[in-house]
Amino acid sequence: MKKTFALTHAKLNTARLTDAIKHEIKKYLARERRKALPEGTDYWTFDCRFGASAEVAEKIFTSEINKHIDAAAAQQLPQFYVEILARACQHKPRLHDEATD
């Protein structure tokens, strides 16, 4: 998902608009997580970027998206850019620590 969201609307107030945007992003993440994983991988991870525009977007964690949306609304930005790219990964094996035995 690479999308620029507008934070201004003629009929909706900003709080309802931000709730709708957060819901759309949540639905997208859930949809991507439901997809079948490629062979040899065991979970989906997401590469996220957020900014006022695509040119100034910075890398963030998935868990920080809502916080950044709220900050953009508080700064009264007219729009913001979100990029969420799904990537299949495999957990790294744990090293067995003999001290825990």
Side-chain angles (χ1 to χ4, degrees), residues 37 40-45 87-95:
L37 286 162
T41 60
D42 51 2
Y43 73 101
W44 289 107
T45 189
R87 179 170 45 99
C89 290
Q90 183 173 9
H91 285 103
K92 295 178 183 170
R94 288 186 181 177
L95 297 176

Coordinates of all heavy atoms in Angstrom, one line a residue, residues 37 40-45 87-95:
L37 N 1.7 -17.9 3.0 CA 3.1 -17.6 3.1 C 3.9 -18.4 2.0 O 3.5 -19.6 1.7 CB 3.6 -18.0 4.4 CG 3.3 -17.0 5.6 CD1 3.5 -17.7 6.9 CD2 4.1 -15.8 5.5
G40 N 9.1 -21.9 3.0 CA 10.3 -21.6 3.7 C 10.2 -20.4 4.6 O 11.2 -20.0 5.2
T41 N 9.0 -19.8 4.7 CA 8.8 -18.6 5.5 C 7.7 -18.9 6.5 O 6.9 -19.8 6.3 CB 8.5 -17.3 4.7 OG1 7.3 -17.6 4.0 CG2 9.6 -17.0 3.8
D42 N 7.7 -18.2 7.7 CA 6.7 -18.5 8.7 C 6.0 -17.3 9.2 O 5.1 -17.4 10.1 CB 7.3 -19.3 9.8 CG 8.6 -18.8 10.4 OD1 9.0 -17.7 10.0 OD2 9.1 -19.4 11.3
Y43 N 6.3 -16.1 8.8 CA 5.5 -14.9 9.2 C 5.6 -13.8 8.2 O 6.6 -13.7 7.4 CB 5.8 -14.5 10.6 CG 7.1 -13.8 10.8 CD1 7.2 -12.4 10.9 CD2 8.3 -14.5 10.8 CE1 8.4 -11.7 11.0 CE2 9.5 -13.8 11.0 CZ 9.6 -12.5 11.1 OH 10.8 -11.8 11.2
W44 N 4.7 -12.8 8.3 CA 4.7 -11.6 7.4 C 5.3 -10.5 8.3 O 4.9 -10.3 9.5 CB 3.3 -11.2 7.0 CG 2.8 -12.1 5.9 CD1 1.8 -13.0 6.1 CD2 3.1 -12.2 4.5 NE1 1.5 -13.7 4.9 CE2 2.3 -13.2 3.9 CE3 4.1 -11.5 3.8 CZ2 2.4 -13.5 2.6 CZ3 4.2 -11.8 2.4 CH2 3.4 -12.8 1.8
T45 N 6.1 -9.7 7.8 CA 6.6 -8.4 8.4 C 6.3 -7.3 7.4 O 6.1 -7.6 6.2 CB 8.0 -8.5 8.8 OG1 8.3 -7.4 9.6 CG2 9.0 -8.6 7.6
R87 N 6.4 -8.3 3.6 CA 7.6 -9.1 3.3 C 7.5 -10.3 4.1 O 7.3 -10.3 5.3 CB 8.8 -8.3 3.6 CG 10.1 -8.9 3.3 CD 11.3 -8.0 3.5 NE 11.2 -7.1 4.6 CZ 11.9 -7.4 5.8 NH1 12.7 -8.4 5.9 NH2 11.8 -6.5 6.8
A88 N 7.6 -11.5 3.5 CA 7.6 -12.8 4.1 C 9.0 -13.0 4.8 O 10.0 -12.8 4.1 CB 7.3 -13.9 3.2
C89 N 9.0 -13.5 6.0 CA 10.3 -13.8 6.7 C 10.2 -15.1 7.4 O 9.2 -15.7 7.6 CB 10.5 -12.7 7.8 SG 10.9 -11.1 7.0
Q90 N 11.4 -15.5 7.8 CA 11.5 -16.7 8.6 C 12.2 -16.4 9.9 O 13.2 -15.7 10.0 CB 12.3 -17.8 7.9 CG 12.3 -19.1 8.6 CD 13.0 -20.2 7.8 OE1 13.5 -19.9 6.7 NE2 12.9 -21.4 8.3
H91 N 11.6 -16.9 11.0 CA 12.3 -16.7 12.3 C 13.7 -17.3 12.4 O 13.9 -18.3 11.8 CB 11.4 -17.3 13.5 CG 10.2 -16.6 13.8 ND1 9.0 -17.0 13.4 CD2 10.0 -15.4 14.5 CE1 8.1 -16.1 13.8 NE2 8.7 -15.2 14.5
K92 N 14.5 -16.6 13.0 CA 15.9 -17.1 13.2 C 15.9 -18.1 14.3 O 15.2 -17.9 15.3 CB 16.9 -16.0 13.5 CG 17.0 -15.0 12.4 CD 17.9 -13.8 12.8 CE 17.9 -12.8 11.7 NZ 18.6 -11.6 12.1
P93 N 16.6 -19.2 14.2 CA 16.5 -20.2 15.2 C 17.2 -19.7 16.5 O 18.2 -19.0 16.4 CB 17.3 -21.4 14.6 CG 18.1 -20.8 13.5 CD 17.4 -19.6 13.0
R94 N 16.6 -20.1 17.6 CA 17.2 -19.7 18.9 C 18.4 -20.5 19.2 O 18.5 -21.7 18.9 CB 16.2 -20.0 20.0 CG 15.0 -19.1 20.0 CD 14.2 -19.3 21.2 NE 13.0 -18.5 21.3 CZ 12.1 -18.5 22.2 NH1 12.2 -19.4 23.2 NH2 11.1 -17.7 22.2
L95 N 19.4 -19.8 19.8 CA 20.6 -20.5 20.2 C 20.3 -21.1 21.6 O 19.8 -20.5 22.5 CB 21.8 -19.5 20.3 CG 22.2 -18.9 19.0 CD1 23.3 -17.9 19.3 CD2 22.7 -19.9 18.0

